[in-house]
Amino acid sequence: MKIYVTENYQAMSRKAANIVSAHVILYPSCVLGLATGSTPVGMYRQLVAWYQKDDLDFSQVKTINLDEYVGLAPTHDQSYRYFMQTNLFDHINIVPANTYVPDGLAPDPEEACRRYNDIIHSLGGIDMQVLGIGHNGHIGFNEPGEAYELETHVVDLAESTIDANSRFFARREDVPRQALTMGIKSIMQARRILVVVSGEGKAGIVRAAFAGPVTPQVPASILQLHPDVTLVGDRAALSKL
Ligand code: PGA
């Protein structure tokens, strides 16, 4: 595993964007697995800035996101489709049809998961998967205790995740209780993985994930078994490693 320690959030964002942009430059038609959450926002902002300077071209890139809340429309300001549009896709020259986010409104969510797996396979798998880590160690919405062998599936969100994400909703009751998420298997099959972490609040879980035992109780710990992981974090998040 490669580890980059940066001074602060901004430097972490820039380093992560460096790594993604190098990949896009070397492999213009690559498949990027993308993540939502607070952590990668600065990385997306940096990618947009480089695109606007004409340093990046996304016209052949395909993206596939980790997860989506069940029940939120793409236009809902807390849906992950909306997040991706407003933080990245609306500002770059990616072809809309080449961006995939699970369908939170699918009448049959299980069927939507199967379709999503088919998409991942038909794209030839994921070249580089960006991941944040939840305070409870989740990656995507794979909560503690999830089986490792799963591809995209429907999950019941952990109470700790509902608590963490309620900061984005007017009321805790408004946080969806379920999500569609790529599974641990889908994530582990990505050829490269880029993990971004920031802030002292993540230091404990980062230690558990990368210096503790590999256990389903800390889903991110499975990444220790992946052959090509790059961890980019600020000094605070990596302080206990
Ligand atoms: P965060 O979320 O980037 O908002 O901390 C990470 C996650 O829950 O995966």
Side-chain angles (χ1 to χ4, degrees):
M1 183 169 77
K2 291 188 212 75
I3 303 179
Y4 291 96
V5 187
T6 67
E7 241 1 271
N8 52 35
Y9 177 76
Q10 203 185 346
M12 183 277 293
S13 301
R14 193 177 171 89
K15 177 59 73 182
N18 268 146
I19 292 166
V20 172
S21 62
H23 202 78
V24 169
I25 290 165
L26 284 171
Y27 309 102
S29 56
C30 63
V31 179
L32 297 178
L34 297 180
T36 53
S38 309
T39 314
V41 168
M43 180 191 81
Y44 292 136
R45 198 173 296 138
Q46 183 64 73
L47 289 171
V48 169
W50 285 333
Y51 167 74
Q52 286 169 344
K53 285 173 68 184
D54 240 358
D55 287 342
L56 281 176
D57 173 19
F58 292 90
S59 60
Q60 297 176 67
V61 171
K62 296 169 206 78
T63 65
I64 185 132
N65 263 77
L66 282 170
D67 46 15
E68 180 61 284
Y69 288 117
V70 168
L72 295 197
T75 50
H76 188 290
D77 68 3
Q78 291 308 324
S79 77
Y80 289 164
R81 165 55 78 178
Y82 184 89
F83 175 103
M84 290 310 305
Q85 292 300 136
T86 51
N87 282 287
L88 184 65
F89 300 153
D90 288 348
H91 310 292
I92 60 175
N93 66 336
I94 197 158
V95 177
N98 287 343
T99 69
Y100 299 94
V101 179
D103 180 2
L105 290 186
D108 181 348
E110 303 289 347
E111 169 59 19
C113 291
R114 280 193 291 277
R115 276 205 312 275
Y116 208 66
N117 289 330
D118 291 345
I119 291 167
I120 298 172
H121 295 300
S122 70
L123 292 174
I126 298 165
D127 293 308
M128 175 177 280
Q129 176 67 55
V130 177
L131 291 178
I133 299 183
H135 287 97
N136 65 359
H138 74 194
I139 46 178
F141 272 132
N142 293 283
E143 303 288 26
E146 285 276 333
Y148 285 157
E149 72 276 15
L150 291 173
E151 297 189 88
T152 312
H153 59 292
V154 181
V155 288
D156 295 328
L157 299 182
E159 288 300 317
S160 54
T161 296
I162 293 169
D163 286 341
N165 292 3
S166 63
R167 69 189 193 276
F168 300 116
F169 291 81
R171 297 170 312 165
R172 191 178 186 280
E173 306 86 86
D174 296 336
V175 184
R177 292 317 199 237
Q178 285 191 313
L180 310 178
T181 185
M182 276 189 207
I184 298 287
K185 181 176 174 187
S186 329
I187 293 170
M188 288 296 281
Q189 284 177 338
R191 286 178 270 280
R192 291 173 159 193
I193 293 186
L194 171 62
V195 184
V196 287
V197 287
S198 171
E200 204 183 339
K202 291 280 170 76
I205 197 66
V206 167
R207 182 182 168 77
F210 295 106
V214 175
T215 162
Q217 292 316 313
V218 182
S221 65
I222 189 76
L223 299 174
Q224 293 179 40
L225 304 182
H226 191 282
D228 193 341
V229 175
T230 303
L231 173 62
V232 182
D234 56 24
R235 207 168 281 290
L238 301 185
S239 59
K240 295 189 176 157
L241 258 196

